[in-house]
Amino acid sequence: MIYDYVIIGTGLAGLNAARLIPKNKRVLILCKMSTWNCNTFWAQGGIASAVDESDIPVHIKDTLEAGVNYNDKEAVELLSKKSQSTIKNLIDAGMKFDLNDKGELAYTKEAAHSRNRILHADGDATGRMMHIFLLEQCEHEIVTQAVVCDLLIKDDICYGVQYFVNETKQKVAYAHNTIIASGGVGSIYRYHTNSTANAGEIQGIIAEKGLALKDMEMMQFHPTVVRGTSFARKPLLSEALRGEGAYIVDENGYRFLFDYHKDGELAPRDVVSRSIFDYNKKTGLGVYLSFETFEKKAFKLRFPNIYSNLKELGYDLPFERVPISPAFHYSMGGIDVTMDGKVKGMKNLYAIGEAACTGVHGANRLASNSLLEGLVFSQIAIENSLKEDFKINQENYDKPIIEYIRNKEIDKDLKDNLRTIMWTHAGIVREHKALEESLKVIEEYLKKDVGRLLFLRLLTAKAILKAAINRKESLGAHYIQNWYFFDIKFT
Ligand code: SIN
């Protein structure tokens, strides 16, 4: 049987795509782990939207400024112009965002936005609430624990996907349209805010097939995650906290960020992350997020999930300050796509959400633009694919189906080293020689007899390192400092 659509991923982009595909189409949705294990689920702050028509040019300007004008302007305009109708469509379908005292949509502010334009849900659980809503709306089949290990590509047509259903068994699903919504690359970094499912394997397949990845050096580090927890995935302290009054201090209570940027805590995210990193390196002083501007009852009401998560970690907010550090957060780069969401060079293969690079985010993503991008471009991709109604001829796919080995004994240590290499050398601050040395190590790993999933991750890491090496000058999140001594610890 041939599906009309195979969707890889059950984050916001994949589920919104599924929502918009008519019920009578045959759709298979492949989810790598369990459905909640995606970056959408962890997104706290919110979703940006132009508040009204007059805000569109301002939202565009803020997005371009944060992205250091490296953005694709057409994509940014599309994003902002479609923001209100896209959000309205979701609200009309039943999604509930938080309202203010007057019963109107409540907009908050985050760094580098020149006005309040971030919608949120259940206070600080916007991603989770949107995810639950979209899951409830989903009328198509979802298969969990389905780990995609190949795309069936011949010439410029994708015939479907091959995926593991357990450690050894593999299946093939043929489809007229394949939609990649598998998220970013967080798990190839030592410390991150991402779901463990996001390890960049599909980006690796794209590189393997000779298709284009774009802006892979542009990796975003969130400035405020909780320091001192033992897992690689670090608890996020939403940017909305700073938007509403929390501020960053050193262990002596000094607000050092104004020494780096006139907007202090509300400077673009790359600037804040780099400044924290630099200040800590120079002074050896610990860095903290202070909540003392908040009153307890209001804090608990506005940020109920952060309040309870931090309580479990032993912090009494808003009275205690919390030790913070930047950690990997978001991949601006990804699979190179056209404005209609198609993978460049392909007839019926789409990429949406964090997996794709539309160029919307440029060199540094403006806070809360990613959920919006996932919604807007998933809608565009589905509208386009329904219009084109492309059909594969399964008989034309005459390539052998390879039996892959998912994991091998050797993988564990190499995977661990990979994370350390990426965090240390393709992180907040980079140095050319170290990038080149790292690339050599990854190329050596690629010659080893590793499992399929690690092989694909290594290809993605190689693409990031190569892109970082090719960009000689600093730009946005890609920051080169050749004299740095690299000994980054995260304790
Ligand atoms: C946050 O809540 O700080 C994350 C928002 C985002 O990454 O856009």
Side-chain angles (χ1 to χ4, degrees):
M1 100 127 158
I2 303 180
Y3 289 98
D4 291 307
Y5 289 86
V6 167
I7 300 175
I8 310 168
T10 53
L12 171 120
L15 289 176
N16 194 50
R19 180 178 76 95
L20 299 170
I21 299 172
K23 213 173 160 182
N24 62 352
K25 301 276 180 195
R26 281 157 303 179
V27 180
L28 175 67
I29 308 169
L30 300 176
C31 167
K32 188 176 170 190
M33 294 178 170
S34 49
T35 48
W36 61 268
N37 213 333
C38 61
N39 279 356
T40 299
F41 185 86
W42 298 105
Q44 293 178 346
I47 178 163
S49 171
V51 173
D52 50 35
E53 288 299 300
S54 72
D55 188 35
I56 293 174
V58 192
H59 181 216
I60 293 172
K61 184 167 170 284
D62 288 350
T63 302
L64 293 174
E65 263 174 30
V68 206
N69 274 301
Y70 180 65
N71 323 54
D72 182 313
K73 291 198 180 57
E74 190 188 344
V76 176
E77 282 172 13
L78 201 58
L79 180 84
S80 191
K81 284 180 183 158
K82 283 193 174 279
S83 61
Q84 286 172 279
S85 60
T86 305
I87 302 269
K88 183 174 179 316
N89 177 290
L90 209 64
I91 292 173
D92 289 347
M95 173 65 207
K96 294 201 172 6
F97 290 104
D98 294 340
L99 305 177
N100 63 19
D101 297 344
K102 295 186 201 135
E104 300 156 342
L105 287 172
Y107 292 96
T108 189
K109 189 164 162 42
E110 290 182 0
H113 284 272
S114 53
R115 66 171 288 180
N116 288 25
R117 65 162 77 88
I118 321 289
L119 292 167
H120 45 89
D122 190 25
D124 51 359
T126 314
R128 193 189 326 153
M129 299 314 283
M130 292 181 80
H131 190 248
I132 291 169
F133 171 75
L134 288 170
L135 267 181
E136 281 168 359
Q137 297 277 308
C138 186
E139 297 181 306
H140 302 293
E141 179 190 2
I142 298 178
V143 177
T144 57
Q145 310 298 332
V147 182
V148 172
C149 57
D150 213 351
L151 295 171
L152 309 181
I153 289 178
K154 188 180 161 205
D155 303 324
D156 53 4
I157 295 173
C158 180
Y159 291 83
V161 302
Q162 183 178 345
Y163 59 101
F164 288 103
V165 288
N166 58 31
E167 194 53 40
T168 53
K169 195 160 172 252
Q170 286 148 75
K171 274 191 174 177
V172 162
Y174 290 93
H176 298 304
N177 293 285
T178 299
I179 306 212
I180 302 168
S182 51
V185 306
S187 279
I188 65 170
Y189 277 85
R190 167 75 42 218
Y191 304 109
H192 59 81
T193 60
N194 287 194
S195 147
T196 44
N198 288 40
E201 284 109 359
I202 311 294
Q203 287 84 338
I205 298 174
I206 292 293
E208 186 182 42
K209 306 290 176 198
L211 294 166
L213 295 170
K214 187 167 177 269
D215 299 345
M216 291 301 278
E217 71 278 31
M218 298 303 177
M219 297 289 147
Q220 182 168 74
F221 295 81
H222 196 288
T224 56
V225 308
V226 181
R227 191 155 44 91
T229 61
S230 58
F231 298 109
R233 200 186 73 72
K234 298 289 165 192
L236 187 67
L237 292 166
S238 173
E239 191 132 355
L241 290 160
R242 279 176 280 130
E244 295 183 33
Y247 55 81
I248 292 170
V249 289
D250 71 13
E251 60 192 49
N252 301 319
Y254 176 57
R255 280 178 83 171
F256 60 91
L257 282 170
F258 288 95
D259 299 347
Y260 289 87
H261 193 283
K262 66 176 177 30
D263 295 332
E265 287 83 8
L266 294 180
R269 195 173 276 183
D270 61 325
V271 175
V272 179
S273 288
R274 213 157 40 239
S275 307
I276 293 171
F277 176 84
D278 182 71
Y279 188 78
N280 172 259
K281 217 77 204 103
K282 276 188 188 147
T283 64
L285 296 173
V287 179
Y288 295 80
L289 192 62
S290 166
F291 308 88
E292 69 175 14
T293 50
F294 290 94
E295 186 267 318
K296 179 154 181 162
K297 202 161 151 230
F299 186 86
K300 268 180 81 172
L301 203 64
R302 173 66 184 91
F303 298 105
N305 300 287
I306 292 175
Y307 174 81
S308 61
N309 291 345
L310 269 285
K311 198 171 174 75
E312 268 177 41
L313 291 173
Y315 294 99
D316 184 14
L317 300 189
F319 305 118
E320 282 184 276
R321 60 190 192 181
V322 175
I324 54 155
S325 165
F328 176 87
H329 187 57
Y330 187 87
S331 171
M332 272 83 69
I335 302 165
D336 198 1
V337 291
T338 61
M339 278 308 100
D340 50 19
K342 239 183 233 175
V343 175
K344 284 202 179 147
M346 296 297 296
K347 284 203 164 78
N348 63 338
L349 178 63
Y350 294 82
I352 50 179
E354 192 177 344
C357 179
T358 58
V360 150
H361 308 302
N364 177 45
R365 179 174 62 89
L366 182 68
S368 287
N369 263 351
S370 49
L371 293 177
L372 179 63
E373 185 200 24
L375 285 185
V376 167
F377 284 89
S378 56
Q379 182 170 341
I380 289 173
I382 294 307
E383 283 168 359
N384 183 59
S385 63
L386 289 170
K387 197 165 66 206
E388 289 193 3
D389 198 23
F390 186 88
K391 297 285 181 238
I392 59 161
N393 180 352
Q394 192 186 327
E395 282 165 17
N396 288 347
Y397 191 76
D398 51 9
K399 290 186 173 180
I401 302 290
I402 300 164
E403 275 289 301
Y404 292 111
I405 298 179
R406 180 168 165 162
N407 299 300
K408 293 192 179 165
E409 194 57 39
I410 181 180
D411 293 359
K412 196 176 172 305
D413 287 346
L414 298 189
K415 223 182 274 177
D416 214 44
N417 293 350
L418 167 67
R419 291 197 190 107
T420 304
I421 289 168
M422 295 307 285
W423 171 252
T424 314
H425 300 307
I428 303 162
V429 177
R430 298 153 181 197
E431 196 262 329
H432 264 290
K433 194 138 183 41
L435 285 168
E436 274 160 14
E437 290 304 316
S438 303
L439 180 60
K440 279 188 205 150
V441 176
I442 300 302
E443 281 173 338
E444 283 309 308
Y445 286 1
L446 277 164
K447 290 182 199 151
K448 293 181 193 286
D449 185 22
V450 296
R452 176 69 177 164
L453 298 185
L454 177 58
F455 179 76
L456 295 173
R457 287 180 195 193
L458 289 168
L459 287 181
T460 301
K462 181 176 165 181
I464 296 170
L465 290 166
K466 276 187 130 176
I469 290 167
N470 287 340
R471 185 171 295 285
K472 308 285 178 219
E473 305 290 332
S474 297
L475 182 72
H478 172 71
Y479 191 78
I480 294 283
Q481 209 164 61
N482 283 328
W483 50 267
Y484 242 88
F485 172 61
F486 285 89
D487 178 25
I488 308 167
K489 292 215 175 59
F490 198 110
T491 49

